[in-house]
Amino acid sequence: MDDYFEIEGLAGKKLLSGEVEISGAKNAVLPLLAAGVLFDGKVSLENAPIINDTRRMLELLSALGAKTEFDEFAGVASVNCASLDSHSLDVEISKRLRASIILSGPILGRYGEVEFPHPGGCVIGERPIDIFVECFSKMGARAEERDGIYRLECSEGLKGTEVFMRIQSVTATETLMMAAALAKGETNLKNCAMEPEVAALAGFLRQSGVEIEGAGTPTIKVKGRAGRLLSPRGRAKIIPDRIEAGSFIILGALCADELVVKNCVPAHLEAVTSLLAAAGVPLDIGQDFIRLSGNGRTANSVFKNFNVRTHEYPGFPTDLQAPMAVFLTQASGEGLIFETIFEGRLGYTEDLIKMGAGIKIWDAHRASVKGPTPLNGRLLEGPDIRAGLALVIAALAAEGRSQITNVRYLDRGYERIDEKLRSLGALIERKTLTRSKDSALIF
Ligand code: EPU
């Protein structure tokens, strides 16, 4: 049994209004929790998003022998790895969470060995882990893979060295930063990802005593502590989720008259807001908020189209590619979507086409979107976390009723998303799906 959302569309009218508070970032809380393995005591994280991925990461840590707590009322997640008793990641949980791979760095750094399965998570492309394995090998680890389980070992401890990552990878950069923190000698990481979540992890490590510099640039230097664990120094606060914030702004552009997206970092969203502003979306950008005002006076067809090319930060985030495609269905003219990071991230366009969108798919990476076209509500299958929210936005912009299945993906990444949408006036209900004996869905 799974939940689904039933949504009554606004038929292109901009009737939503209000304020929405952005939660802590999923992709920031996961590496900071994994960093708990580097410590000899309890690490507490404030503004932790109350989502299933946070819970899964805590379960993974708990299965390793850590003491974990999640005060969901206060939004504080804590992990104490003083008495870890395993270096093997739980296979079932790891297969559901790509971010499980991040734990490999701190565990290998601390114990000189780690075992884990190929990590799972959203099916948005091949998602190999070759860069992790190559870079660990450069730092002195021996790697083998048998029956889908990777085993890395370096009984004499990881050695700091120069490591060039062939591809800028967010989780590989985070994982290697943590491995380097416990290595012997200095590690020079090159071609690093520059995402705000990488910089947030580096900030946390620095605040905790690691000599680390350069995060947010392509080169990060880490002075290794030769196995010496860190001691907690106060609480860290998780940065706001730029993907949730960006999604609400796109939703607002299509469906809201007045909307304030609060508790966000607009500087993390320039690639998104600059496109929307050039398209004619009336945005007012503050220090920690983005306001949309008088948007009801702008007919959707007035919005101009643009091309979207996903790119590593500070370029346009792949995680907002699907919501932006929905925006383009309501802008005038033709815009090209070019997904450069993942090769399986345009699948949701089939659903948009069924709703009436003028989309042509050229190949696994490119689609063009011609607008504006009215969308019609229908049964939609949420394919992954980010495209799932894009379909919610499409359903709200559409005429008629939609059902969106696989809400479990949305629950992995967005805190109380249906409640937040309802507070803006959206007609969205969470319902439970049952199946008949022949597996047909019963709504
Ligand atoms: N890649 C390799 N080999 C590797 C690692 C990555 O070829 O060993 C490739 C990937 O296949 C991809 C590219 O490198 O083509 C970049 O992927 P990256 O490794 O940066 O992605 P990730 O670290 O697995 C994180 C986010 C994703 C987000 C991407 C890109 C986390 C937990 N996940 O994934 O977020 O899309 O960076 O920004 O931080 C999501 O939140 O829904 C999500 C998918």
Side-chain angles (χ1 to χ4, degrees):
M1 281 209 297
D2 194 10
D3 285 352
Y4 69 97
F5 283 154
E6 189 152 271
I7 294 176
E8 200 59 54
L10 298 165
K13 296 195 194 76
K14 296 173 178 177
L15 299 176
L16 304 185
S17 70
E19 297 184 344
V20 64
E21 188 86 34
I22 298 306
S23 302
K26 167 176 91 68
N27 291 344
V29 76
L30 301 176
L32 263 77
L33 283 172
V37 172
L38 304 172
F39 288 79
D40 61 10
K42 180 172 164 181
V43 168
S44 293
L45 307 174
E46 291 175 12
N47 199 35
I50 299 153
I51 53 175
N52 282 344
D53 272 17
T54 309
R55 299 185 182 105
R56 287 300 90 73
M57 184 55 103
L58 288 166
E59 279 168 28
L60 260 179
L61 284 156
S62 163
L64 290 166
K67 290 198 184 74
T68 63
E69 285 164 51
F70 194 8
D71 179 342
E72 298 199 2
F73 188 70
V76 178
S78 308
V79 56
N80 185 339
C81 293
S83 55
L84 284 199
D85 53 18
S86 166
H87 54 260
S88 302
L89 294 190
D90 182 279
V91 173
E92 281 319 305
I93 306 173
S94 303
K95 283 190 171 164
R96 282 190 280 151
L97 186 69
R98 168 80 187 176
S100 59
I101 184 79
I102 307 175
L103 279 163
S104 62
I107 296 178
L108 185 62
R110 180 164 169 170
Y111 292 103
E113 52 188 323
V114 62
E115 273 180 13
F116 56 91
H118 194 95
C122 285
V123 185
I124 53 180
E126 207 185 322
R127 307 191 86 180
I129 60 160
D130 50 336
I131 292 176
F132 295 76
V133 175
E134 265 172 42
C135 296
F136 284 142
S137 303
K138 275 214 112 182
M139 294 177 78
R142 284 167 294 280
E144 62 170 22
E145 189 245 303
R146 202 175 296 156
D147 302 328
I149 303 288
Y150 294 82
R151 183 161 192 282
L152 291 155
E153 191 259 334
C154 58
S155 43
E156 51 306 329
L158 290 170
K159 289 190 302 287
T161 182
E162 194 163 290
V163 175
F164 181 84
M165 284 175 266
R166 277 182 291 114
I167 298 177
Q168 282 189 356
S169 159
V170 176
T171 46
T173 304
E174 293 163 347
T175 305
L176 288 160
M177 266 162 41
M178 291 193 273
L182 294 186
K184 283 188 207 123
E186 186 169 303
T187 303
N188 198 354
L189 297 170
K190 290 168 137 183
N191 200 28
C192 294
M194 299 187 281
E195 268 65 4
E197 294 76 18
V198 172
L201 172 64
F204 175 55
L205 296 177
R206 197 176 321 105
Q207 175 199 318
S208 309
V210 178
E211 289 184 56
I212 179 166
E213 59 182 63
T217 77
T219 306
I220 301 178
K221 285 189 179 157
V222 188
K223 279 219 175 96
R225 299 165 57 88
R228 201 158 42 86
L229 296 181
L230 298 163
S231 295
R233 296 186 189 171
R235 288 179 168 192
K237 189 167 177 189
I238 302 300
I239 58 170
D241 196 310
R242 63 196 164 97
I243 306 303
E244 186 195 10
S247 304
F248 270 104
I249 294 157
I250 294 168
L251 166 80
L254 298 183
C255 301
D257 179 26
E258 304 281 332
L259 176 70
V260 190
V261 176
K262 289 169 72 180
N263 181 36
C264 62
V265 182
H268 292 167
L269 280 162
E270 280 179 322
V272 180
T273 50
S274 60
L275 283 178
L276 291 175
V281 178
L283 296 177
D284 166 21
I285 298 177
Q287 271 300 312
D288 62 353
F289 68 85
I290 300 174
R291 180 184 289 123
L292 195 78
S293 31
N295 189 41
R297 290 191 290 274
T298 331
N300 282 337
S301 55
V302 172
F303 292 149
K304 289 195 278 294
N305 71 313
F306 44 75
N307 296 333
V308 177
R309 182 177 183 275
T310 65
H311 197 278
E312 293 82 6
Y313 187 84
F316 189 90
T318 169
D319 290 344
L320 284 174
Q321 179 256 106
M324 209 50 135
V326 178
F327 177 86
L328 287 177
T329 68
Q330 303 307 305
S332 70
E334 190 167 81
L336 183 73
I337 303 270
F338 186 10
E339 169 57 59
T340 69
I341 313 277
F342 294 108
E343 64 283 356
R345 232 177 181 184
L346 293 177
Y348 69 90
T349 52
E350 305 273 356
D351 266 338
L352 292 183
I353 292 168
K354 287 182 196 147
M355 294 177 85
I359 298 183
K360 181 149 178 37
I361 304 162
W362 297 102
D363 57 37
H365 290 275
R366 291 174 310 152
S368 44
V369 187
K370 214 181 215 162
T373 46
L375 301 176
N376 298 301
R378 52 175 297 130
L379 171 60
L380 303 163
E381 199 172 327
D384 65 73
I385 302 177
R386 309 306 182 182
L389 189 51
L391 294 181
V392 169
I393 297 172
L396 283 165
E399 174 157 9
R401 186 172 292 185
S402 296
Q403 290 88 13
I404 298 180
T405 61
N406 291 340
V407 165
R408 64 176 184 281
Y409 292 131
L410 287 159
D411 290 338
R412 280 188 51 193
Y414 299 102
E415 182 177 314
R416 299 182 292 106
I417 189 70
D418 41 338
E419 279 176 46
K420 288 188 186 184
L421 289 166
R422 267 196 299 278
S423 77
L424 301 176
L427 294 174
I428 173 168
E429 258 187 274
R430 180 184 286 264
K431 296 188 166 177
T432 300
L433 192 67
T434 46
R435 283 177 192 272
S436 65
K437 277 199 191 108
D438 59 357
S439 280
L441 304 178
I442 304 171
F443 290 97

